[in-house]
Amino acid sequence: MRYTYDSEVDVLTVDLHPGQLVARTVEVDDSRHADLNADGLAISLEFLAASIGFEIDDLIDRFSLWEQKSALQDLQHRDFKPTITA
């Protein structure tokens, strides 16, 4: 698992299974999306407005991400800061 945070648009992307092809994207809600492969496995998660925080536990259950639970919960408690432009 690896992640990237784009501070210019305040988006956190978590690659759960890098290199796999996206078959479809599920919009969980307005600020959370999950990319699934052809077998329905969540291969990446996207969190919009990550700096204001995000919920992860329901995604762990919904997409069976128990092996990544600890790492995902650690990300949830990180302090993401958007770029401030004047």
Side-chain angles (χ1 to χ4, degrees):
M1 182 182 97
R2 64 179 183 218
Y3 74 92
T4 56
Y5 175 66
D6 185 335
S7 63
E8 290 187 25
V9 292
D10 195 17
V11 173
L12 172 67
T13 303
V14 182
D15 289 321
L16 302 165
H17 300 282
Q20 291 200 24
L21 297 176
V22 175
R24 68 186 181 104
T25 300
V26 174
E27 184 176 324
V28 178
D29 54 37
D30 289 341
S31 63
R32 300 180 304 163
H33 305 118
D35 290 332
L36 310 179
N37 68 8
D39 296 324
L41 176 71
I43 57 174
S44 69
L45 302 172
E46 182 179 66
F47 301 95
L48 309 178
S51 65
I52 62 172
F54 50 90
E55 179 60 37
I56 197 74
D57 290 334
D58 63 320
L59 299 180
I60 291 168
D61 290 335
R62 180 173 178 174
F63 297 109
S64 304
L65 302 173
W66 300 292
E67 289 181 18
Q68 294 98 340
K69 181 177 181 174
S70 179
L72 289 169
Q73 288 175 329
D74 286 345
L75 280 178
Q76 182 182 23
H77 299 291
R78 286 184 157 249
D79 192 20
F80 296 101
K81 300 276 189 209
T83 301
I84 298 173
T85 56

